[in-house]
Each structure stands twice: as structure tokens, then as C-alpha cells.
Amino acid sequence: MKTLIYRIAMLVACTLVQPLASYANSTPAGKIEIIFSKDPFEGDNPTNKTQTTFKAWDEIYGRINFGKPIKDLLTGSLDNVMSDGKLTIAIGISEKQDDKYPYQVEKKITREEAEKSYVDFDIAPALNRSRDAISRNFASQIASYGNEHFRKREPAAFYVSLDKREEKMYSGGFATILTIDYSNLPDGDAGTDKISKWEQMINQASDEEQVKTNIKKKSVKTSIQFSSSPFTDSPAISTGFKAGNPIYGRVVLEKPLKEYLNGKQEVKDLQIDIKCLNDNLYGISVEKFIRASELEQPYLNFDILPATDKAIDVYSNNLGFYRTFYSSSLEPGRVLKFEISLANETNINYKGFKKMEAFGEMEVDYSGLTHLQIQAFAGQAEKALQAAEKNASALFAKESAEALKAMPMPIVFTRPSHAGYSTVSKPQLLNIIKARYKVAEVFMLTFAEPTAAGDFTVWKDNSGYPTEKRGHHYFYFVFKDTDGYYKFSGGVLSMPYEGGGKYGAPILLAWTPIQEGDPKFPFDNERWKKGYETVFFFDAGKVKK
């Protein structure tokens, strides 16, 4: 297929009151260069790997080296040509190498930057690395679905040169070719959508608020770390991972997590946001359930893509990180960059936290993979998330048993026991409890003060029809559960009405054992899932047999 040349001239000229001095007389051609990289250029002596060929959706950054400080190119003083404290450099882009009216992007530089002998500019920046806050950028020229080379999915050669028409700069015909290859974009509507999203991302990256955010983050120490092993193992920190391998995260805090609680509501979970920085992949936020033990630590560990046997974090509605990292819309074959951050506003307004900002950036390499492999990774990650529920329950039980050692005896077991049911013996009641909770051992059975004389009162519905006989004696007990841990709960007996004036055998209705003044004893979520509403962990060291 014949390769067409899409000719772009980046015509560099200063929009100044005073003209630049004749560059031809003072600077040899060898001093001038325009270079490109996938990374932003930093400082006077950057170590970037430079290149001239890129693929669509690559990050592209430019630097023009003038060979001498920009201020020295002026025929007049710097003060006379600055407007609002800035010097404007117009960078033109056109399909014609000799276009007299190129599409222009204005780069504004400060007095300090005018002391430099170079100008850096964004061409196709990532969201988190943009530095030029401009409404008129290069997106419409290099990332347009109307581009004929995109339509043919072929490379386009962009001629980049200094302005050869103006006497303000050196006019030796210096040019650099920048090639963008569109062949990596899919055919049909999928490709059109892809390049349109690239244009949107460049526009978003050029937004003033996004650039301000990027500048702010550069001055803030990264507070979310990543590793290929759980942080409980003191692993090495990393920011680059291969798809399919485990990934774990840690939020590093300045104080224990509990000190970030606002005290206005019970904290159950915390939202973590995911953003892809160099692709239009949609990031699905996750809500991590918080364990009581995590409130005591000046950090918060969380699973991102854990190994099945080490997965311990539960996310609401099964929406784990894999929904983003192994999304069905993900295009394999490249390295994607992600920003993981705490959803500060959401956590303040809906999750019970004070201001708590944290972010971290990482990369996942999908090179050499197919869609089927990505789907397989998604399946493995989903299984790990399911295993996390079981693993988290075991961890919670272990942590609860340890925490209970420092907690007092539940109030119901510190009070004297009253007489129980006269019509239901203690052995009968113990058997009812064992049958209801499917356990073999029950201890410390105690009765509260009766609510009325006798054992039962007939309860009726609004029509006066009897529904049950409800007991007057509420009771509390400890049992050894099938998981080996001790639990406590409470109940009252009920005799359901069977008709014809007859009532059935007593059954146990659950009742909370928690009294005013009790601390927050660990609640047994696993029992709750099975229909046992009021079961709490009990300290094995306090069991009286």
C-alpha cells in the first residue's frame, strides 16, 4: 500500500513586540534541534530516550533546543515583549510544509523559562503528566478520525521544522520528521471510537484544572505503594507489573486510620478510585470493607490482584480491581498506566471519614497477550475475590479472638441470673439452643429479669387471631462454634399457634445480648449470612464451663 505523507510543519515563532535577533548570524544549524520522547523532558540535561516514531495513543512530548537562552534571541528587552508576565511562543502545525497560515498552538513561558535555551511542549500527553494548560492543542491535528492516514491505518510522516520564512530565527531549513503510525488501531467503528477517545484524552490533559492537579501532585510524596507480594511480608516496592501476576497496595498514612474517622456515622468501607492515564479504559471504583484491626494502623493494605491463597480483602458487590485491569474492553499489547487514589469527597460525604488524600501510579504490561488470556486472568481474579471472603472471615475471627482479650465481660453475664421457664427445663432449653445453632456445647446460660409473671403470654394479630405464645424469660448464652471460636447470643422462647387452640413446641427467637454500656463486640458476619442475626464473638479465656 502506498504510504501517503501527511506533512506537518511545526513553525516556531515568538509573538513579540520586538523581533528576535537574526539567528542565522549567531547560531550554526548544528545547534538547533527538535527532539521527541514518550516521557516529558525534565531539566537542562534530560536523560530521555528520544525517538521520532510513535504509535497512536503513545505519549508524545517535544523539546526545541535553540542553542542559546531564549532571552538572548530578542532584539529588545525581555520586559518589553512579555504580556501578563509571560512570553508567548506560537508552535504551528500544518499539512503543508510551507503553509503561511498553520494551525497554531501557543506555548507561554515565564521569565525564568526564558533564561533557558530550550522550550518543552506537550504533543500527546498522558493525563497525569501534562504541563501545558491550553485550550488549543495538537489533538485535532494528530488524533482526528478525519485524518486520511488514520482511515487507511497507515503511518503518517509529520515534518517538524523551524520557521524558514521569518528572519527572527535561523533559516537554514532545519527539519525533523515525526512519524505517527495508526496501524495499531482496530478497524471499523472500534477504531473510530479509539482515536476519538485519544483526542478527548489530550483535550482533558490540556485542561487547566488537570495541569494544576499534576503540578500539585509533583510536590506531594506518593502515598500509595505497590508490590507483587502482600505488605504483611515486608516486600519490595514496585510500580511496574506484568499482567497475570499478583499486585498488592498500601495506603501510607500520617496517623492511625481511626483518627481519620469523622465520628458522624459507622465506618464500614472506603472507596478507592482507578483511572487509566494513557488509554480510554474506564476505571471502576471499588469499596473495600474495613476490618476493626485496620483502624489501629497508620496504613491500610489492600488487595489489587491477589493470589487466591493470600486474598483477604472483600469488596462490595464483588466489584474488585480486576473489573478494570482485566476489562473485556481492554486492548492487549501495550503497557497501561494507572492512578490509584482514595475517593476523598465520597469518603467524606458518605463513608464516615475526614479528609484523607492519597494516590499512587503504577503500570501493567499487557504485551504479547490475547483477549482470551485477559479473560482467563479475569476468571482467576474473580475466584481470588471469592476466596477472599472465606479467607477474610478466618482472619476476622482470629483478630476478634485476640481483640477480645482486652475487652470486658459482656454485661449480661455480669448480672445475677433469674429463674427461667417453669414449663421448660434447663436441659430442654439447652437442647433447643444446640439444635437452633447446630452446635454441641453451650455454656453460661443466664436469664434476665422476667417481663411478666408466668412463662408465656398469648400474642394476637390485628384481627384478634392468636399467633403464638411469647416467653417472658429472655436468656443469654455462650457456645463453641463449629469454627472452633466461642460466640455469644440471646433469645426468647415462642410457641407458634397451630390452630384449634393448640400451640406447637417451643422454638428459639433470636434476641440481642448487647446492653447499653457494652463495648463494640465483634459481630459474626458469617453467622448473619446464614440467618443468625445476633451472634457475637466471645473471649475463650472468659468462658465458665
Side-chain angles (χ1 to χ4, degrees):
M1 180 172 59
K2 182 179 180 181
T3 299
L4 297 177
I5 302 300
Y6 184 34
R7 295 184 299 173
I8 298 296
M10 286 183 130
L11 308 175
V12 181
C14 292
T15 306
L16 308 173
V17 175
Q18 296 290 329
L20 293 173
S22 175
Y23 210 38
N25 297 329
S26 58
T27 307
K31 292 284 188 178
I32 306 170
E33 64 175 349
I34 303 175
I35 55 177
F36 308 101
S37 176
K38 287 186 178 181
D39 297 298
F41 293 95
E42 300 281 355
D44 296 339
N45 299 295
T47 57
N48 299 50
K49 177 182 177 181
T50 60
Q51 60 190 80
T52 57
T53 300
F54 300 84
K55 290 183 177 294
W57 268 100
D58 278 348
E59 295 177 51
I60 309 175
Y61 305 89
R63 168 172 285 197
I64 303 172
N65 286 319
F66 293 103
K68 63 190 307 184
I70 296 172
K71 68 180 181 63
D72 293 345
L73 305 179
L74 307 176
T75 57
S77 71
L78 182 60
D79 290 331
N80 290 339
V81 297
M82 296 189 75
S83 176
D84 295 327
K86 297 289 181 70
L87 182 69
T88 300
I89 293 181
I91 302 174
I93 182 170
S94 173
E95 294 187 24
K96 298 178 181 179
Q97 188 174 3
D98 56 352
D99 195 343
K100 293 183 179 181
Y101 304 102
Y103 179 93
Q104 289 189 339
V105 175
E106 292 187 347
K107 167 76 178 185
K108 296 182 182 295
I109 64 174
T110 65
R111 178 181 295 274
E112 181 182 1
E113 290 170 324
E115 300 282 344
K116 305 291 185 181
S117 60
Y118 55 83
V119 170
D120 294 328
F121 57 99
D122 297 337
I123 299 175
L127 282 178
N128 63 321
R129 301 210 284 181
S130 58
R131 299 172 296 183
D132 295 341
I134 46 178
S135 58
R136 185 179 172 90
N137 54 48
F138 295 100
S140 64
Q141 305 301 302
I142 66 171
S144 170
Y145 63 82
N147 181 310
E148 62 176 310
H149 303 285
F150 156 70
R151 292 178 179 178
K152 296 180 179 181
R153 304 301 192 274
E154 65 183 9
F158 297 83
Y159 287 86
V160 180
S161 66
L162 294 179
D163 188 341
K164 295 189 292 294
R165 296 171 293 105
E166 300 288 343
E167 287 303 317
K168 298 174 184 178
M169 289 190 175
Y170 172 71
S171 56
F174 180 84
T176 300
I177 296 177
L178 168 67
T179 301
I180 298 179
D181 186 355
Y182 298 99
S183 64
N184 61 314
L185 298 179
D187 294 329
D189 292 342
T192 301
D193 180 68
K194 197 72 177 176
I195 197 169
S196 296
K197 292 294 176 60
W198 191 25
E199 181 178 15
Q200 291 174 21
M201 177 168 285
I202 297 172
N203 288 330
Q204 185 180 346
S206 302
D207 179 74
E208 184 176 4
E209 290 304 314
Q210 181 64 50
V211 172
K212 286 181 179 179
T213 298
N214 294 342
I215 293 173
K216 177 182 176 182
K217 286 181 177 179
K218 286 187 71 173
S219 64
V220 176
K221 183 179 180 181
T222 300
S223 47
I224 297 184
Q225 302 172 340
F226 307 99
S227 178
S228 57
S229 299
F231 278 85
T232 51
D233 299 338
S234 300
I237 306 302
S238 179
T239 56
F241 303 89
K242 183 69 178 177
N245 292 339
I247 307 175
Y248 303 85
R250 166 175 280 190
V251 181
V252 180
L253 304 171
E254 295 180 351
K255 51 191 176 181
L257 182 60
K258 65 182 180 182
E259 296 188 30
Y260 291 92
L261 308 185
N262 63 26
K264 297 179 181 179
Q265 66 191 86
E266 182 181 3
V267 169
K268 295 182 179 179
D269 55 25
L270 174 142
Q271 182 170 313
I272 303 173
D273 289 341
I274 312 166
K275 181 191 294 184
C276 185
L277 300 171
N278 62 339
D279 197 274
N280 63 316
L281 183 67
Y282 181 73
I284 300 176
S285 298
V286 301
E287 295 177 331
K288 170 186 154 53
F289 286 107
I290 303 297
R291 295 185 293 275
S293 62
E294 293 176 318
L295 296 173
E296 304 297 324
Q297 306 299 334
Y299 55 81
L300 180 66
N301 297 334
F302 60 98
D303 295 340
I304 298 178
L305 298 170
T308 301
D309 61 333
K310 295 184 178 180
I312 58 172
D313 284 322
V314 178
Y315 295 93
S316 63
N317 300 321
N318 197 37
L319 292 178
F321 284 88
Y322 78 94
R323 300 276 184 143
T324 297
F325 287 95
Y326 298 139
S327 168
S328 59
S329 62
L330 186 149
E331 290 290 337
R334 42 190 304 241
V335 176
L336 295 185
K337 300 180 180 181
F338 296 91
E339 178 184 274
I340 310 297
S341 62
L342 297 185
N344 186 50
E345 295 299 322
T346 298
N347 292 330
I348 290 174
N349 296 327
Y350 304 106
K351 304 297 184 181
F353 286 92
K354 299 176 185 177
K355 182 178 179 180
M356 184 170 56
E357 295 180 312
F359 79 97
E361 296 173 4
M362 56 174 286
E363 298 180 352
V364 179
D365 186 356
Y366 300 90
S367 301
L369 299 176
T370 65
H371 283 288
L372 287 178
Q373 288 173 308
I374 296 295
Q375 291 175 15
F377 290 152
Q380 294 171 8
E382 186 173 15
K383 290 180 180 178
L385 196 63
Q386 293 168 353
E389 294 195 21
K390 182 178 179 180
N391 297 341
S393 294
L395 178 60
F396 177 75
K398 181 180 179 181
E399 292 178 344
S400 296
E402 188 63 29
L404 284 164
K405 294 177 182 180
M407 300 178 77
M409 179 77 79
I411 291 174
V412 294
F413 298 111
T414 65
R415 296 168 176 167
S417 180
H418 292 263
Y421 293 91
S422 60
T423 55
V424 179
S425 68
K426 183 176 179 180
Q428 286 178 305
L429 180 55
L430 290 173
N431 286 332
I432 291 173
I433 295 171
K434 292 175 183 178
R436 175 71 180 87
Y437 288 85
K438 297 181 174 60
V439 295
E441 299 176 276
V442 178
F443 311 96
M444 299 172 65
L445 178 63
T446 184
F447 292 90
E449 184 177 351
T451 58
D455 280 352
F456 295 92
T457 292
V458 175
W459 283 27
K460 299 179 180 181
D461 61 19
N462 293 334
S463 301
Y465 187 82
T467 57
E468 65 172 306
K469 284 185 177 181
R470 178 66 65 88
H472 298 156
H473 305 282
Y474 289 79
F475 51 90
Y476 309 99
F477 53 92
V478 175
F479 63 92
K480 187 174 184 180
D481 211 344
T482 53
D483 59 7
Y485 291 96
Y486 288 90
K487 319 284 177 65
F488 73 106
S489 189
V492 65
L493 293 182
S494 172
M495 299 172 64
Y497 184 64
E498 296 180 338
K502 295 182 179 180
Y503 292 85
I507 61 173
L508 187 153
L509 299 181
W511 191 260
T512 180
I514 303 301
Q515 306 293 301
E516 184 176 353
D518 269 328
K520 189 174 181 180
F521 290 106
F523 181 73
D524 190 347
N525 281 292
E526 291 305 304
R527 276 281 180 178
W528 176 80
K529 293 175 185 177
K530 298 174 182 178
Y532 301 89
E533 299 92 347
T534 60
V535 178
F536 299 82
F537 284 85
F538 191 86
D539 181 15
K542 297 182 178 71
V543 176
K544 299 177 182 178
K545 300 182 180 180

